[in-house]
Amino acid sequence: MDEASLLAGLEGVAPQQSGSAWMRPMEAITATLLVVIIALLLAGVVSRYVFSLPIVWIDEVASISFLWLAMLGAAMAVDRSEHLRLTLFVGMLPEKVQALAGTLAMLLMAIFLGVMLRPAYEYAVEESYITSAALNIPMSYRAAALPVGVALMFVLALVNVLRGSGFRQIAVSVVLIAAMTGVLWLAGPGLKQIGNWNIPIFLVGFVALFLVLGVPIAFCFGLATLAFLSFTTSVPVFVMIGRMDEGMSSIILLSVPIFVLLGCILDATGMGKAIVEFLASLLGHVRAGMSYVLLGSLFLVSGISGSKVSDMATVAPALFPEMKRRGHRPPEMIALLATGAAMAETVPPSIVLIVLGSAAGVSIAGLFTSGFAIAMVLLLVLAVLARWKSRHEAMEGVRRAPLSVIRKTLLVAAPALVLPFLIRTAVGEGIATATEVSTIAVLYAMIIGMVLYGGISRTRLYSMLVETAALSGAILMILGAASAMAWALTQTGFAAQLVEAVQRLPGGWMTFMGVSILIFMVLGCVLEGLPAIVLMAPIMFPVARALGINDIHYSMVVVTAMNIGLMTPPIGIGFYIACKIGNVSPDEAMRAIWPYIGALTVGLLVIAAVPYFSTVFL
């Protein structure tokens, strides 16, 4: 999969690949599970807020369905080759070496799944002795999703190896893996004696090696953690399954697939396009007006979809032709598009903020409230730069839109404009949780889309449900594997040692904030937001708290830093997505984006130095 597919998968815009014919029943099951989860959550909201009669078993059934959706969706992602991976470095290799790297990556993935199969089965058996609180059924009904999903992924990975690789490639890959395993086994006694020096070897070095080989990100984390536990500790591998289950099963994460689906609905109904057209009628006549429209559209559309790729794909085709006519150079337009998408990441409903709240134990309502203010600061910085860049814009023939046109576009866009504020208000004011509001938003978007925007065909809707299930499975697999690695890191005492080291640094919390910005910018380049958050939040947030840094303030800084990294060439994957959407050469856009990256960095430093911006509305 190329870079476009990587970010598309992570953000909810599918690469639109179809799976194998024999996986069609699995697709139907996952689509049904997603509908069941949404229906259950909607029933819970109605019963609680309309009839004041909470249904206690709904959360349990939703949780059971969610784990099955995650594991079956992850298996579908293996079949469709939609698991997220970094292909930047593999693409630089000669063609024959690329083929070998692909075989090696898929075999490594299959080995991890094969090793985890028995612990997953044993974990499900152990869960059979625990009874659920509301339904009084064994928890193995839920945990059985783990061995079933792992077994399916294992079989599919082997099928992909046999189908896509020659005998020689498979043989060389097997020899390489066997040789590396033998070396680690022989070095095992020595590795156990060097203590925490194993962290950079396994949890940094091995992850980097697997990323370079093109191993899917989830399995990079899983393989590195498995090797770390197997060769340097006496901790049983069984523990990993429990940590992965915990990482995928937080009730907050139920909103992730629903917001992914919401992004698909936004794209299919044209609600985002209606917002763009209204802003263009309102601001299009002023100098730098189209740049303002682009930034404002990304800000508002992000509040509906929660997806950077969906945002860019909605906004760019609607605005780029007029911007070209006014003399904007395509590389400049791409630079503004990419950095504008990074700016809008903190606008709710941001999937990154939801995952961060789950991983770090931070209030989702607080994150959503603060996210608007932070995005406004970054929006202002980019708008100032855009105005300066547009000082020579060709305005000949540009006229203010008639009031009748503004009124008409506002009337069409109004139902879509309401949605981001509905989401933020419902969560921020404590009216509904992020999970509940995601289901309300989907229902609202479906009804409004059907009544006002032409609706969605049954075939398209089914396709969207299947794609959402596969992409959600890929996302949740990353979160589970990253949770296992984060747990392994914390068990070494590394976090406590980090706290002590940071507290000895000159400059106090400001120095720590600077170090955090660098760390998360680098992680944003390579890993994108979700895995970086789950991996680093359990380590970095306790340090921030020990230094007296507000959780919401720190959250805004790290999310913004990651998004700047995501859009920073030559590694930032989001930058290549923007180039692909705008059909512009990355080499040309790379020269144009640096002033915009600089403007975002200035905004980030202001946000980091002044907690007021993050906490003013709390």
Side-chain angles (χ1 to χ4, degrees):
M1 195 191 313
D2 60 12
E3 292 86 2
S5 300
L6 192 158
L7 195 64
L10 196 50
E11 291 297 332
V13 178
Q16 300 299 327
Q17 299 180 48
S18 57
S20 305
W22 65 279
M23 288 292 286
R24 296 288 186 269
M26 201 64 61
E27 293 176 356
I29 291 170
T30 54
T32 304
L33 283 171
L34 184 55
V35 172
V36 166
I37 289 170
I38 294 171
L40 284 170
L41 294 174
L42 277 172
V45 170
V46 172
S47 66
R48 186 178 300 116
Y49 293 109
V50 177
F51 300 107
S52 300
L53 243 145
I55 304 174
V56 294
W57 52 264
I58 279 182
D59 282 351
E60 277 190 13
V61 177
S63 176
I64 292 169
S65 303
F66 182 53
L67 187 60
W68 279 95
L69 174 71
M71 295 308 297
L72 297 181
M76 284 166 51
V78 173
D79 181 54
R80 294 160 168 254
S81 297
E82 287 182 9
H83 271 283
L84 320 178
R85 64 192 183 101
L86 185 66
T87 60
L88 182 66
F89 299 108
V90 173
M92 298 176 182
L93 300 173
E95 191 172 332
K96 288 185 178 179
V97 182
Q98 283 187 40
L100 176 60
T103 303
L104 185 58
M106 191 57 67
L107 266 179
L108 285 166
M109 182 174 156
I111 287 169
F112 171 76
L113 292 164
V115 171
M116 298 307 295
L117 186 54
R118 181 173 177 179
Y121 171 76
E122 291 173 350
Y123 181 79
V125 172
E126 289 286 330
E127 290 288 290
S128 67
Y129 299 109
I130 304 171
T131 304
S132 67
L135 294 175
N136 261 344
I137 60 173
M139 291 299 287
S140 54
Y141 281 96
R142 176 186 167 281
L146 293 163
V148 170
V150 169
L152 269 173
M153 284 188 279
F154 174 64
V155 171
L156 288 166
L158 287 180
V159 168
N160 285 347
V161 170
L162 295 173
R163 188 170 54 193
S165 306
F167 174 78
R168 184 176 179 182
Q169 292 166 348
I170 295 173
V172 171
S173 298
V174 168
V175 169
L176 287 172
I177 293 169
M180 178 57 73
T181 305
V183 169
L184 289 173
W185 183 77
L186 291 172
L191 291 171
K192 289 178 180 178
Q193 292 176 5
I194 63 175
N196 282 355
W197 286 106
N198 285 306
I199 293 174
I201 295 173
F202 285 89
L203 304 186
V204 178
F206 272 42
V207 169
L209 173 63
F210 296 142
L211 277 172
V212 168
L213 287 173
V215 176
I217 292 174
F219 300 98
C220 291
F221 291 153
L223 283 161
T225 307
L226 177 64
F228 177 75
L229 294 179
S230 300
F231 297 109
T232 71
T233 74
S234 54
V235 176
V237 176
F238 177 84
V239 175
M240 269 190 74
I241 284 290
R243 298 300 103 189
M244 290 176 69
D245 180 17
E246 187 178 309
M248 290 188 286
S249 301
S250 170
I251 198 73
I252 295 172
L253 298 179
L254 269 169
S255 58
V256 170
I258 304 174
F259 276 129
V260 169
L261 178 62
L262 183 59
C264 294
I265 294 171
L266 167 72
D267 182 51
T269 58
M271 292 175 75
K273 186 180 178 183
I275 292 175
V276 174
E277 289 175 352
F278 165 64
L279 290 178
S281 71
L282 199 63
L283 298 171
H285 63 280
V286 302
R287 189 171 296 279
M290 298 310 290
S291 296
Y292 299 154
V293 171
L294 187 148
L295 292 172
S297 299
L298 287 168
F299 185 94
L300 290 173
V301 171
S302 180
I304 303 174
S305 72
S307 159
K308 284 191 291 294
V309 179
S310 178
D311 301 344
M312 291 192 287
T314 299
V315 170
L319 296 180
F320 277 14
E322 176 62 17
M323 293 179 76
K324 284 180 183 177
R325 193 190 70 75
R326 296 193 186 188
H328 289 264
R329 293 173 52 247
E332 293 284 342
M333 290 154 45
I334 292 300
L336 189 62
L337 178 71
T339 50
M343 166 275 295
E345 180 59 36
T346 62
V347 179
S350 166
I351 293 174
V352 170
L353 291 185
I354 293 167
V355 172
L356 175 58
S358 172
V362 182
S363 162
I364 301 290
L367 291 173
F368 275 19
T369 301
S370 181
F372 260 108
I374 294 306
M376 286 298 295
V377 172
L378 299 174
L379 177 66
L380 180 62
V381 171
L382 287 175
V384 169
L385 177 60
R387 176 64 181 83
W388 183 79
K389 287 272 189 179
S390 300
R391 63 195 183 280
H392 302 304
E393 185 178 18
M395 300 296 290
E396 295 82 8
V398 177
R399 297 285 182 267
R400 182 193 296 268
L403 193 59
S404 59
V405 173
I406 297 175
R407 192 183 301 117
K408 181 183 177 182
T409 55
L410 174 59
L411 194 63
V412 174
L417 285 167
V418 167
L419 192 49
F421 298 101
L422 171 70
I423 292 168
R424 195 213 72 80
T425 303
V427 177
E429 298 299 322
I431 298 169
T433 65
T435 304
E436 291 169 341
V437 83
S438 65
T439 59
I440 296 169
V442 163
L443 181 65
Y444 175 90
M446 286 292 292
I447 293 172
I448 293 298
M450 182 171 58
V451 173
L452 297 179
Y453 296 100
I456 306 170
S457 68
R458 290 183 183 179
T459 305
R460 180 75 185 274
L461 180 60
Y462 178 75
S463 175
M464 284 162 48
L465 290 170
V466 171
E467 292 295 342
T468 298
L471 299 173
S472 300
I475 291 170
L476 293 164
M477 195 69 188
I478 288 176
L479 300 186
S483 294
M485 176 176 278
W487 175 84
L489 265 172
T490 54
Q491 295 307 301
T492 63
F494 174 73
Q497 294 171 4
L498 183 63
V499 172
E500 291 177 13
V502 168
Q503 286 175 336
R504 289 196 296 266
L505 289 174
W509 73 272
M510 290 291 284
T511 301
F512 174 71
M513 199 67 93
V515 171
S516 297
I517 287 171
L518 289 174
I519 289 172
F520 281 98
M521 281 183 76
V522 172
L523 288 176
C525 280
V526 180
L527 296 180
E528 224 277 341
L530 301 181
I533 283 291
V534 179
L535 186 61
M536 297 303 295
I539 297 169
M540 302 299 283
F541 271 78
V543 182
R545 289 170 189 144
L547 294 172
I549 300 173
N550 181 280
D551 277 354
I552 301 294
H553 177 210
Y554 190 62
S555 299
M556 293 300 113
V557 171
V558 300
V559 169
T560 303
M562 281 191 306
N563 282 296
I564 294 174
L566 176 69
M567 298 299 175
T568 302
I571 298 177
I573 299 163
F575 166 74
Y576 295 99
I577 303 303
C579 292
K580 187 177 181 66
I581 288 171
N583 196 26
V584 172
S585 162
D587 293 337
E588 294 177 19
M590 198 176 296
R591 291 190 291 272
I593 200 171
W594 293 113
Y596 295 91
I597 294 291
L600 279 183
T601 304
V602 169
L604 171 59
L605 294 175
V606 170
I607 293 163
V610 185
Y612 176 81
F613 291 117
S614 301
T615 59
V616 61
F617 294 121
L618 298 181

